[in-house]
Amino acid sequence: MKREVTLTVNDRSYTRQVEPRLLLSDFLRHELALTGTHVGCEHGICGACTVLLDGQPIRACLAFAVQADGHSITTVEGLAAGPNDLHPIQQAFWESHGLQCGFCTPGILLTLLPFLQEHPDPSEAEIRDALSGNICRCTGYQFIVEAARRAAAKLREGSAQ
Amino acid sequence: MTTQTIGERIKRNEDPQLLTGQAQFTDDVHLPDMLHAALKRSAYAHAEILGVDVAEARALPGVIAVYTAADLGDFWQPSPLLVPPPPAEHIIFNQRTAGQLARDKVRYVGEPIALVIAESRYIAEDAAELIEVEYEPLDAVVDLHQALTNDGPLVHDDVGSNIAAHVIQRKGDYEIARAQADLVITRRMLYDRGTAAPMEGRGVVAHFDPLARQLTVWDSTQAPIPIRNGLARMLGLSERQVRVIARFVGGGFGPKVMMFYPEETLIPWAAMRLERPIKWIEDRLENFVAMTHERGQVHDAEIALTKDGKILGVKDVFLHDTGAYDPYGLTVPINTQCTLLGPYVVPHYYTEFHAVFTNKTIVTPYRGAGRQHGVFVMERLLDLAARELGLDPIEIRRRNLIPPDQFPWCNEIIFQDFTKLTYDSGNYEPVLNKARDMIGWDEFQQEAPRLRAEGKLVGIGLVMYVEGTGIGPYEGARVQVEATGKLTVATGVGTQGQGHYTVFAQIAADALGVPIDQVYVSTGDTSQFNWGSGTFASRGATVAGTAIYAAAQQVRQKALKLAADALEAAEEDIDLVDGFAQVRGVPGRRISLATLAAQANPLRGAVQPGTEPGLEATAYFGPPMGATAVGAHAMIVEVDPDSFNLKIQRYVVVHDCGTVINPLILEGQVQGGVAQGIGNAFFEQLHYDESGQLLNASFMDYLLPTANDVPTIEIGHEETRSPLNPLGVKGAGEAGAIPVGPLYAQALDNALAEAGIEILEIPLNPCKLWEMVQAAQSKVGG
């Protein structure tokens, strides 16, 4: 028995018929073909599926698509200004080698985006704490932390202009 | 100036795609009319299957098909033996591999019993729950010592025991060593099971196009070419009709090398039968029980030394848990046997293992692939000997290091590449010294008494290991300068995060003087390159890299010849710079490589016999033996006296992997390896109960290190080039993960020295440390 949902994803409005039990992660990935959000555990621990709901990070694997009805979602596809651009956070990760296989990366980017908005000059300890809900199996986190620092600097620079 | 990228910290070519969510992982494949699969898996570790009732499942709306073993007909077959047993001196090997779906018996929790195909994954999982399996539960084989005895359940009745293998290897005669020894240390050591837990689980999408007669399979695998070859054979197709794609894999670490996981053949088979694309993606629970595990050994080890701490010999008898089947042969325990010897002179060595079947998930290589266990044994024995002899841990190691003028150093016994274990090159003492300096060993010894007097439980450790890398059989590459101006590299060694799209580009770019962003690397796609084995055993840069280098050099020679003609100059006066062939010192006289490539592929005219079109070359590299890297890890740790939680104050890695192609990527590999080592040492343990049930199959209960658990790692380099390949590279992928267990043991023995504990097992955790301290203190009566 399907229900109609209407939501905004990356500033674009979508209306779809969905089963109530359809996970938000599956809705984004398969209904909307926005496959940048990845699914690592489906039990809310690894953080790979992190997206923003009305600007706040949530686990898309622990939400149903129907819960997002009327809300605004940001996924990794919505970060860059255009198809050949990179958001300063993405650029920072590129420069710092802040990813290896890249599977956990979108979730980390979406976790850091609101964090850096609230903490424009974070300490290493604060960064590590903010990242403690995102599991990475490849990097050991060190270059991710550096990337976050570099991103913070870029964002401060950008807002200063 | 010719561009030189080797040795530079170059940003990765693949990152923009990954960062913008535009890299296609297996579950990102969407095909029209696609169906979805789910598996019914065994709830018991050991049981007879009396019946499987799929009627209700088949009747569920949206279900297209349900298959059991009987439905597979002739297609049902035990998977091949991926790695045959090596030519060791004394070897018994009992090959037992699994059919795609269990028939009469299940042998581990998670073993597949039935396959459901439905319109959606949700419906497929609903249907799987409706399948009724009638089990006759049997006692499970869980404990390794129990498995070894013959009175108890048998995992494979027709073997007559639970022995999967028995191997003895020898160097010299250990009895001589023991007879001469001033000191003999004997201990039992335990190294327990863990799982690789890549963030992307396994998945397969298969599509057979009936008009094109082409089967395309997307598979989250580290070895697409062997998968392609096996699938073609099993499905009665030409290799040309099968394409396996694994261009982006979300972490492999070893367990994604398999031929085959049941799903890897079932999904393509079903896709051909149903004439619709089918997708199967495992969830995390399945990954815990159905992707292969590693670790799981018990060692009875002994070392014989002189009173000066010189090793006379080592004897190691161990049990290896291979799980319910042994498709990967003996790679893991053979690595254990070989890597135990480390960077030390060990004149006499006796090593014997029994691999036993148990009713648990299959064991195959996971980053380190058996080396961890060997290194743990040797490093612990040395630490215990040092304690007895009043030597510090660094000194006892120094006294036993293989001297730098003794290479190549042959250790006689057979390694995983089926050759005698030989170290190609090495200079070990500088690595030891640098680690000692970087960690501040002497400063710590001075500081520690004061800190301990304040009640701080601080400890320091330093361990070493030698890692065999870069083994054969071979890899190949095709390098081409296109008329488009792009330089393309195609090879069979895929990437799961190691940066091959960049490292391979650097090698070719440097040889041809082409800017790195003009290099297009194709890997993980069997339609692009036909021959190779895959990404494993720290061999990508060494083996594929060398093949790329060789092919690129051939293209370079072709380009110089053509340019010499075109520019009417001598070859030795021409440089390749920025995509051009340039007469040295005459800026106007140059021709682009793109133009040369176009000229080499004319549409009209006559071509000289014996020439090949274009600017292209294919080369293969089959190393006669592996290249050995060396490393030392050191750490300073503080134990909380109440919670027994740890804070790592400093962590140092000094590493020698020969020539470093991209230091940024290398450091990432070391850091990631250390993080997995930390997980293995202190956070991760798979818990089985006596009926073979895995008790902690979720990230709630199986703890992976987070950003708060992995320290900043300081990395130092030494560079002893390998003589085995022109670039001088050695492998580095597993290095970070290998010695972390014994490092924790040494540092924690040191931190808790007052309690007098002796750590002989991995993994540890706060509870275990507390228990050890309690036990040690109650022994003293205090």
Side-chain angles (χ1 to χ4, degrees), chain A residues 87-99 105 108-109 112 116 122 127 131 139 141-155, chain B residues 15 19:
Chain A
H87 186 281
I89 292 186
Q90 290 165 323
Q91 182 70 28
F93 269 71
W94 193 14
E95 290 167 13
S96 295
H97 187 32
L99 63 154
T105 308
I108 288 185
L109 296 176
L112 284 176
L116 290 174
I127 293 173
L131 289 172
T139 67
Y141 306 102
Q142 191 161 328
F143 286 158
I144 294 179
V145 172
E146 263 187 47
R149 264 223 210 90
R150 192 185 284 247
K154 282 183 194 291
L155 291 170
Chain B
D15 285 359
L19 286 164

Side-chain angles (χ1 to χ4, degrees), chain B residues 548-733:
Chain B
I548 293 166
Y549 177 83
Q553 288 300 321
Q554 288 179 34
V555 174
R556 182 185 175 85
Q557 292 315 308
K558 287 189 185 184
L560 286 173
K561 197 157 189 282
L562 288 174
D565 261 351
L567 298 170
E568 292 176 336
E571 278 182 41
E572 53 270 19
D573 294 332
I574 298 177
D575 292 327
L576 300 185
V577 183
D578 282 339
F580 284 84
Q582 163 87 53
V583 178
R584 197 174 305 122
V586 188
R589 255 166 86 203
R590 65 180 201 167
I591 186 169
S592 73
L593 290 178
T595 306
L596 287 175
Q599 288 178 358
N601 185 26
L603 287 173
R604 290 290 185 278
V607 172
Q608 297 282 349
T611 60
E612 294 159 2
L615 277 180
E616 177 183 291
T618 299
Y620 297 91
F621 177 56
M625 61 184 191
T628 37
V630 65
H633 289 211
M635 90 172 165
I636 294 174
V637 69
E638 184 174 342
V639 185
D640 183 300
D642 298 315
S643 69
F644 281 83
N645 238 318
L646 302 187
K647 175 128 178 56
I648 299 177
Q649 308 283 14
R650 292 188 71 179
Y651 198 106
V652 161
V653 174
V654 176
H655 182 66
D656 184 346
C657 61
T659 304
V660 177
I661 300 171
N662 186 320
L664 197 55
I665 289 178
L666 172 69
E667 286 171 19
Q669 287 296 298
V670 172
Q671 290 159 4
V674 170
Q676 285 187 309
I678 288 173
N680 171 221
F682 204 70
F683 292 86
E684 302 178 40
Q685 184 168 5
L686 292 171
H687 292 281
Y688 280 89
D689 70 11
E690 64 284 346
S691 58
Q693 293 291 332
L694 180 56
L695 299 176
N696 61 336
S698 85
F699 287 162
M700 282 289 289
D701 306 302
Y702 182 88
L703 304 178
L704 298 182
T706 71
N708 276 333
D709 303 311
V710 184
T712 297
I713 295 154
E714 301 164 58
I715 300 180
H717 289 289
E718 291 289 313
E719 193 176 291
T720 308
R721 292 171 56 99
S722 171
L724 299 177
N725 60 74
L727 290 169
V729 299
K730 303 180 179 183

Side-chain angles (χ1 to χ4, degrees), chain A residues 6-19:
Chain A
T6 299
L7 63 161
T8 307
V9 183
N10 301 329
D11 293 328
R12 196 178 134 177
S13 180
Y14 297 89
T15 298
R16 293 284 190 276
Q17 302 287 326
V18 301
E19 280 188 42

Side-chain angles (χ1 to χ4, degrees), chain B residues 184-222:
Chain B
V184 174
I185 306 241
T186 307
R187 292 291 191 278
R188 170 167 287 189
M189 307 195 199
L190 178 60
Y191 211 98
D192 209 358
R193 273 196 183 227
T195 181
M199 294 324 299
E200 182 206 26
R202 300 169 306 141
V204 179
V205 177
H207 174 221
F208 182 72
D209 182 330
L211 297 182
R213 317 290 308 157
Q214 288 283 322
L215 174 67
T216 307
V217 180
W218 291 261
D219 185 354
S220 184
T221 176
Q222 296 169 235

